[in-house]
Amino acid sequence: MSNIPYAEVIGDPIAHSKSPLIHGFWLEALGLAGDYRRAHVTLDALAAFVAERRNDPDWRGCNVTIPHKLAVMDLVDDPGNVRGTIGAMNTLVRQKDGTLIGTNTDAAGFYAPLAGLDLEGAPVAVVGAGGAARAVLFALARAKVGHVTILNRSPLKAMGLLATFGLRGEVVALDAQLPPAALLVNSSSLGMSGHPPLDLDLSPLPDEAIVYDLVYSPLRTGLLQTAEARGLDTVDGLDMLIGQAALAFELFFGSAPPEGRDEELRALLMA
Ligand code: NAP
C-alpha cells in the first residue's frame, strides 16, 4: 500500500496511455499529495484486479480504456444508469466504504469544445461505431442534433447505435460521399498510428463546418490536415482527452485541475 491517495489507468495495452502525464501534471501543479499510475490489466484479470483495489483505502479509482469499457459495467455500482444510457464506462471511483461507482466522462469531455455552439437540428456525420462513438452519439443526442450520418465498416453496429440514442439518420459505407454536415467527427481508429488512414473527400462540407478528430496519436491527423487545407475549423483529440481527464481528476482527488495551464499541458503531451 502506498499511504498516499492514488488512481490509475487500466487497459490492455496500456503503455501508450497519456493519462499518467495529464494527472501527474495536475497533481504537481496543485501541490497535491497523490499519484497516478498505469496498470496493465488483461480481460482475464479484470475482475480480480477490481476486487483487490476495492479493498485498498488509498486507491481513489481508475480510468478504463480498451478493452474494458464494457466489461467493468458488471463489476461496479451504476447509480447514474450509465449502462442504460451511454453503455460504456471509462471511470471507476471508490467511495470511502469500498463501494465502487462507474461513470463515463468521455461524453462530457467530447462535448466541452463544442459547448458554445448551437447544434440543435444541425446535420452531423460521425465516422465509427465503437466505444468512443457511443459517447459521441450520446452527447450529440443531448445536443438535439438533426440528421446523423454514420460512416462505419460494420453497418449493423452503427444502425444499433442510431436506435439506442434515438437519433434520426442513416448508416453509409466508409467510402460513401459525405453529407453537407455542420460537424464531422471521426470516432473510429482510422488515422491513428498503426491503423489505416481515413480518406474522406471533404468537399461536400459547408465552409463553416467543424471537423473534430478524436484520434490524438498523431495529433495532426490526415483528416485534420485536409480540413485545415480547406479552411475549416478543427478540433483535435487532445481537447477531449484533457476534458474527460479533468472530470475524472476531480472525482479521484477532490479538486478541479488548475486553471489556465492547458497550453502548457498540451505542449507536454505533444513533446
Ligand atoms: P473501438 O471501440 O475499438 O472502435 C473502433 C472503431 O474504428 C469501430 O467503429 C471500428 O469499425 C473502426 N475501425 C477500426 N479499425 C478499422 C479498420 N481497419 N477499417 C475500418 N474501420 C475500422 O475503439 P474506440 O474506443 O471507439 O476508439 C476509437 C478511437 O477514438 C481511437 O483512436 C481512440 O484512441 C480514440 N479515442 C480518443 C479519445 C479522446 O479522449 N480523444 C477517447 C476515446 C477514444 P467496426 O465497428 O466496423 O469494428
Side-chain angles (χ1 to χ4, degrees):
M1 293 203 187
S2 63
N3 296 317
I4 62 165
Y6 74 103
E8 52 200 338
V9 56
I10 66 168
D12 177 23
I14 199 61
H16 68 287
S17 174
K18 292 190 185 291
S19 294
L21 210 55
I22 299 174
H23 288 263
F25 174 82
W26 287 333
L27 284 167
E28 196 180 323
L30 291 170
L32 288 180
D35 195 12
Y36 187 100
R37 308 165 187 171
R38 232 183 224 113
H40 180 219
V41 179
T42 61
L43 211 43
D44 286 351
L46 180 66
F49 174 88
V50 171
E52 191 215 308
R53 290 295 196 265
R54 186 192 284 275
N55 292 321
D56 181 350
D58 295 328
W59 190 69
R60 294 293 183 263
C62 64
N63 286 117
V64 179
T65 188
I66 294 172
H68 302 317
K69 288 186 181 185
L70 302 185
V72 290
M73 292 194 292
D74 292 334
L75 306 173
V76 299
D77 289 358
D78 183 15
N81 191 24
V82 175
R83 182 193 282 271
T85 53
I86 302 177
M89 289 176 177
N90 77 327
T91 307
L92 309 186
V93 185
R94 184 184 186 276
Q95 310 296 293
K96 285 200 173 78
D97 64 0
T99 309
L100 294 187
I101 288 178
T103 187
N104 186 310
T105 65
D106 276 339
F110 160 73
Y111 193 66
L114 305 174
L117 304 172
D118 180 11
L119 290 172
E120 189 165 344
V124 300
V126 175
V127 184
R134 298 190 77 94
V136 167
L137 293 168
F138 173 81
L140 293 178
R142 298 263 304 244
K144 299 188 172 61
V145 295
H147 192 272
V148 178
T149 305
I150 304 184
L151 297 88
N152 199 50
R153 178 177 59 181
S154 314
L156 282 181
K157 219 165 120 185
M159 280 174 204
L161 291 190
L162 281 181
T164 298
F165 296 108
L167 289 161
R168 206 163 37 83
E170 64 188 320
V171 174
V172 298
L174 281 166
D175 59 359
Q177 195 188 41
L178 283 176
L183 171 69
L184 167 66
V185 181
N186 175 33
S187 65
S188 79
S189 314
L190 295 172
M192 189 178 168
S193 310
H195 290 255
L198 176 59
D199 287 322
L200 294 177
D201 171 11
L202 302 188
S203 59
L205 299 183
D207 289 343
E208 61 281 3
I210 298 167
V211 176
Y212 191 152
D213 201 338
L214 267 57
V215 170
Y216 54 81
S217 176
L219 189 58
R220 304 318 290 167
T221 59
L223 174 66
L224 294 186
Q225 288 176 35
T226 310
E228 279 161 9
R230 251 227 45 204
L232 302 176
D233 280 343
T234 60
V235 182
D236 66 45
L238 281 192
D239 280 330
M240 175 171 169
L241 190 72
I242 294 171
Q244 60 79 28
L247 296 165
F249 183 85
E250 194 161 351
L251 291 169
F252 297 147
F253 299 110
S255 303
E259 283 180 24
R261 304 290 295 270
D262 278 9
E263 283 314 309
E264 207 181 321
L265 176 56
R266 283 181 68 95
L268 188 70
L269 291 167
M270 285 189 277

